[in-house]
Amino acid sequence: MTGTAVVVGAGIGGLATAIGLRRAGWSVSVVERRTETARYGTALGIHPTAQSALERLGVDAAFGGRAVPYRGARIRTPEGRVLASLPLERIERKAGRPELLISRPHLIDALLAALDAFGDVPLTYGENVFDVEALVTGHDLVVGADGIRSVVRAAYFGERSGPREVGTVAWIGTADFESGIHGETWGSGRFFGMTPVEPGRTNWYATVPGTVPAGDLPGYFEGWHDPIPRILTETDPAGWISYGIRHLFPALPAFVRAGKVALVGDAAHAMTPNLGQGACTAVLDAEALARNVARHGRSALPAALRGYDAERRRSAQRVAFGSRGLHRFMTTGRTGLRDSLVRLLPG
């Protein structure tokens, strides 16, 4: 083995990082504070660049069998008038492949299967990390993939950057019928989205200001175009997931520290969900970190981490900044000006 690494966190970024490092010949272990891998959530958008990264990690076969293409999505007003198209066709033309959607549980299972195939990567559940310094002392490389409240980030990067609320709450769920239309509907201070996720089902998400009980959510979209009211009345609120939208602020000056500590995913750049790039950036982080480590080797690990930081930090932070800006734009109360600007987007 080239070196020893411990990955803190068994989400998408953590599992992908562990796979990449093990493929590079490192001895890897993973620790997760939860008692099992979290499979909550609905559809995740996977951009062609992230698809390519999954291919380089050897996860593409298991992943591709459960993903569906995302095409023909529009931005609409609450009355149903089309304002613009999402740039999915341009993405597909440029990349030669479409954006894909996959349920989070399916992606997690694909990553776990790829990790299990090595047969020698221990994944320990129910382990809260309190002493990051002990991990750093006992391993050549420590990777913080432990989310927006990362203990690795707090220990080695300080607590200046942390979770910041943006004042809105997201709701997500899955309807047991196909919506027939896909895209996002933008209202005043709120929006509603629908995407495919698998045959016969529709992934949906909604954002509203402040704290809203599940029973009140349909009222925020009363009178909106079909099938939005139907989705909210014909799906079981017990299966809905709600969370306050947050992002990491201020942006970190580096994703690496001390020549042997690195951050990936939300630990490094948690963002609002508006661009649908959270999972993609985590996968891209993981693949880039593993590739740089493989290229430089254990003896030049500080150089490998600098290479990872140079490759990923500005790119990921631009996405995070863009997502936060889009959140403000989508939820503005000045809908007339916003809708006029949206109409100027290329179709």
Side-chain angles (χ1 to χ4, degrees):
M1 293 291 182
T2 301
T4 62
V6 59
V7 179
V8 182
I12 292 168
L15 294 174
T17 300
I19 292 166
L21 291 173
R22 182 61 189 85
R23 284 173 63 89
W26 281 57
S27 174
V28 183
S29 59
V30 183
V31 295
E32 167 58 48
R33 65 176 178 82
R34 296 183 176 89
T35 56
E36 60 183 14
T37 303
R39 287 180 168 80
Y40 63 85
T42 53
L44 299 172
I46 307 297
H47 189 274
T49 55
Q51 295 171 39
S52 296
L54 287 168
E55 290 171 359
R56 293 191 291 272
L57 291 170
V59 185
D60 54 307
F63 160 78
R66 305 302 296 266
V68 297
Y70 190 26
R71 297 184 174 106
R74 308 289 183 257
I75 300 171
R76 294 175 170 84
T77 67
E79 297 76 26
R81 186 173 72 257
V82 173
L83 297 173
S85 297
L86 295 180
L88 301 172
E89 289 81 3
R90 294 202 304 275
I91 290 172
E92 184 169 357
R93 285 196 302 270
K94 182 178 180 180
R97 63 170 81 182
E99 180 104 0
L100 294 178
L101 288 159
I102 187 170
S103 75
R104 190 178 191 278
H106 291 335
L107 180 55
I108 287 289
D109 287 342
L111 293 167
L112 284 172
L115 192 65
D116 289 344
F118 293 112
D120 60 357
V121 181
L123 199 171
T124 305
Y125 292 105
E127 182 169 328
N128 284 292
V129 173
F130 298 105
D131 190 352
V132 178
E133 183 62 36
L135 294 180
V136 173
T137 300
H139 298 82
D140 297 308
L141 173 63
V142 174
V143 180
D146 48 343
I148 193 170
R149 298 190 183 278
S150 170
V151 296
V152 177
R153 186 185 67 240
Y156 266 79
F157 297 76
E159 299 190 12
R160 179 170 177 265
S161 296
R164 297 294 186 273
E165 302 283 346
V166 300
T168 52
V169 174
W171 289 86
I172 57 177
T174 304
D176 290 325
F177 61 87
E178 295 187 6
S179 63
I181 61 172
H182 300 131
E184 296 180 339
T185 300
W186 296 1
S188 177
R190 68 207 68 177
F191 60 87
F192 197 97
M194 296 168 285
T195 75
V197 61
E198 56 191 51
R201 309 186 82 196
T202 297
N203 166 71
W204 64 268
Y205 52 94
T207 295
V208 294
T211 302
V212 177
D216 293 346
L217 187 63
Y220 279 80
F221 300 96
E222 185 176 358
W224 285 37
H225 68 81
D226 291 330
I228 293 173
R230 180 188 172 196
I231 285 176
L232 292 175
T233 56
E234 294 187 18
T235 57
D236 185 359
W240 301 354
I241 298 171
S242 174
Y243 62 93
I245 296 180
R246 300 170 296 171
H247 66 133
L248 186 67
F249 183 84
L252 289 169
F255 287 178
V256 300
R257 189 76 87 218
K260 60 188 307 185
V261 179
L263 301 176
V264 300
D266 282 354
H269 48 67
M271 62 188 71
T272 67
N274 302 84
L275 285 176
Q277 292 292 301
C280 293
T281 51
V283 168
L284 292 169
D285 291 349
E287 191 277 331
L289 176 60
R291 175 167 31 82
N292 277 276
V293 168
R295 178 186 305 152
H296 289 84
R298 175 184 176 184
S299 62
L301 185 59
L305 297 189
R306 288 194 299 271
Y308 160 67
D309 185 67
E311 179 177 343
R312 287 300 304 149
R313 178 165 50 86
R314 292 184 183 278
S315 174
Q317 289 175 344
R318 280 196 299 269
V319 174
F321 181 79
S323 191
R324 179 69 181 97
L326 182 58
H327 182 276
R328 292 192 183 100
F329 185 67
M330 291 169 68
T331 56
T332 181
R334 300 177 66 186
T335 57
L337 174 61
R338 181 198 63 195
D339 293 353
S340 296
L341 292 173
V342 170
R343 291 190 190 97
L344 299 177
L345 295 174

